[in-house]
Amino acid sequence: MKRRNFLKETPLLAGAGLGMAMALSACNDEGTAGEVAHESVAPVSQPPKPIAVATWDVPVAVAKAGEWLDAGKKALDAAIEGAAIEEADVKNTTVGKGGAPDRDGHVTLDACVMDSDGNCGAVLCVENITHVAALARKVMEETPHVMLSGEGAEQFAYAMGFPKENLLTEASKKAWEEWKLKSEYQPVINIENHDTIGMLCMDSNGDIAGVCTTSGAAYKMRGRIGDSPIIGSGLYLDNEIGGAVATGLGEEVVKTVGSFLIVELMRSGKSPQEACEEAIRRIVAKGDRYKDFQVGYLALNKAGEIGAYSIHSGFSYTRYQGGENTNTPADFYAK
Ligand code: ASP
């Protein structure tokens, strides 16, 4: 469909309004966060210096976000800019262009964003678009919805001016073809194969925003969605408390609504580290299956404190603050 026709046929994009009574998610209700009493959390008198933190060892992406924050940009702008570095990096096979395809050979991306006013947007199972975090932001800002999926999300991307790109690189195609020969056609679910980028930024006003972007589990079933684009699972934040992001086997994060849980634990007085540890304990308490998969959490509170914890060793996070960029291995449960 030509872009002009698509705009014509899509009333909300043409500004004609919806004409239907939509119960919008609490995510888009202004002021939601401000109405909640947070008695057990001490107020932060002065915001710390701007901070960018992200899952895994992604110094370039985090430095980019940090530079934007140091230049006075808002938390969400910085987080999306940082995430875009990994989305465009074809060597990162779990995010954006170059991401591992599903078991049928299609690269499908998921992402969500959340801002400091509690607004959020997400895109699920999107093909041919590299910068899905930026696209999720467009869903948040340009539509009355929170989530768009599949073809609808892709059409919306073109309407918003995103270019169509082939996301399947020769290297990812070759790896997928080798996997097809070796495997019994099951998705790869192991403890190494996770590199979803979850990024949390705090700007010079002390406002927090976040992004989560991924190509999902390698060789997943067509249409499978994990935790990453699900607000409350792959990402959640409350600007009065802090934020959390997840990486690893999305199904397990969704079952425990991991990022929301961490923010609520911080609300009730836990440090980011304690909250991440408790969220991992909720998963491992379900039985021995945790031995075969990885989940990692990263959290940032309003005071600028960071916590990270995973089931197995190998998870790390990268932090930028005051011009310094550090990668830190996370503590883990299965010792
Ligand atoms: N959390 C992602 C998912 O389940 C995968 C990952 O972290 O690599 O889709």
Side-chain angles (χ1 to χ4, degrees):
M1 187 188 291
K2 288 246 166 57
R3 185 177 162 203
R4 206 170 344 135
N5 291 343
F6 173 59
L7 284 168
K8 236 191 324 191
E9 288 166 32
T10 311
L12 65 95
L13 294 174
L18 266 186
M20 54 180 166
M22 298 256 345
L24 292 183
S25 148
C27 285
N28 268 354
D29 288 341
E30 278 178 27
T32 304
E35 287 158 19
V36 182
H38 307 306
E39 284 134 24
S40 51
V41 179
V44 176
S45 49
Q46 265 218 307
K49 274 194 194 147
I51 305 174
V53 278
T55 52
W56 305 108
D57 188 8
V58 286
V60 180
V62 172
K64 181 77 177 181
E67 282 158 20
W68 272 53
L69 293 170
D70 286 348
K73 306 269 188 193
K74 290 195 163 194
L76 186 63
D77 294 322
I80 288 176
E81 203 61 28
I85 299 274
E86 290 303 313
E87 289 172 338
D89 182 355
V90 292
K91 290 197 287 311
N92 184 337
T93 58
T94 53
V95 175
K97 194 190 255 185
D102 65 17
R103 68 181 192 179
D104 298 344
H106 304 270
V107 181
T108 65
L109 305 183
D110 305 321
C112 69
V113 299
M114 196 159 182
D115 73 10
S116 51
D117 293 326
N119 299 309
C120 50
V123 290
L124 294 71
C125 211
V126 185
E127 293 181 52
N128 303 314
I129 306 294
T130 299
H131 293 300
V132 280
L135 182 59
R137 180 193 198 153
K138 289 285 183 196
V139 173
M140 176 176 88
E141 291 178 346
E142 305 292 335
T143 84
H145 304 300
V146 166
M147 296 174 142
L148 284 182
S149 69
E151 249 181 71
E154 191 180 336
Q155 283 176 3
F156 173 67
Y158 301 139
M160 291 287 112
F162 286 71
K164 180 170 186 164
E165 293 181 79
N166 175 20
L167 305 181
L168 186 63
T169 56
E170 276 311 309
S172 287
K173 190 171 175 206
K174 192 162 168 266
W176 167 65
E177 277 161 354
E178 281 163 12
W179 166 81
K180 272 201 300 183
L181 291 178
K182 273 188 278 172
S183 83
E184 290 167 11
Y185 220 53
Q186 291 293 317
V188 176
I189 297 172
N190 62 26
I191 60 172
E192 298 93 28
N193 189 37
H194 297 287
D195 281 328
T196 290
I197 300 303
M199 187 178 292
L200 296 164
C201 288
M202 185 190 286
D203 62 27
S204 47
N205 291 326
D207 289 330
I208 300 175
V211 160
C212 191
T213 183
T214 192
S215 52
Y219 319 135
K220 60 197 174 186
M221 286 176 70
R222 184 137 177 80
R224 176 267 188 191
I225 306 293
D227 60 313
S228 305
I230 308 296
I231 294 293
S233 291
L235 163 70
Y236 191 72
L237 64 93
D238 179 330
N239 195 39
E240 296 201 0
I241 306 297
V245 285
T247 181
L249 184 60
E251 282 75 2
E252 299 301 322
V253 177
V254 168
K255 285 179 204 166
T256 47
V257 201
S259 293
F260 181 76
L261 172 63
I262 290 169
V263 173
E264 293 308 302
L265 289 167
M266 293 195 292
R267 190 193 304 282
S268 67
K270 291 216 187 296
S271 69
Q273 185 62 33
E274 289 167 341
C276 289
E277 291 181 17
E278 174 61 23
I280 289 291
R281 270 197 293 274
R282 298 275 174 106
I283 296 175
V284 301
K286 288 167 179 261
D288 276 357
R289 284 184 314 111
Y290 74 85
K291 291 181 179 160
D292 299 326
F293 63 79
Q294 173 71 307
V295 170
Y297 288 120
L298 172 65
L300 168 73
N301 71 7
K302 207 59 183 165
E305 295 165 337
I306 294 167
Y309 201 63
S310 56
I311 299 176
H312 301 280
S313 65
F315 176 49
S316 70
Y317 67 91
T318 308
R319 158 210 173 117
Y320 174 100
Q321 190 174 28
E324 268 181 45
N325 212 347
T326 47
N327 179 256
T328 308
D331 193 9
F332 56 95
Y333 174 83
K335 295 194 171 108

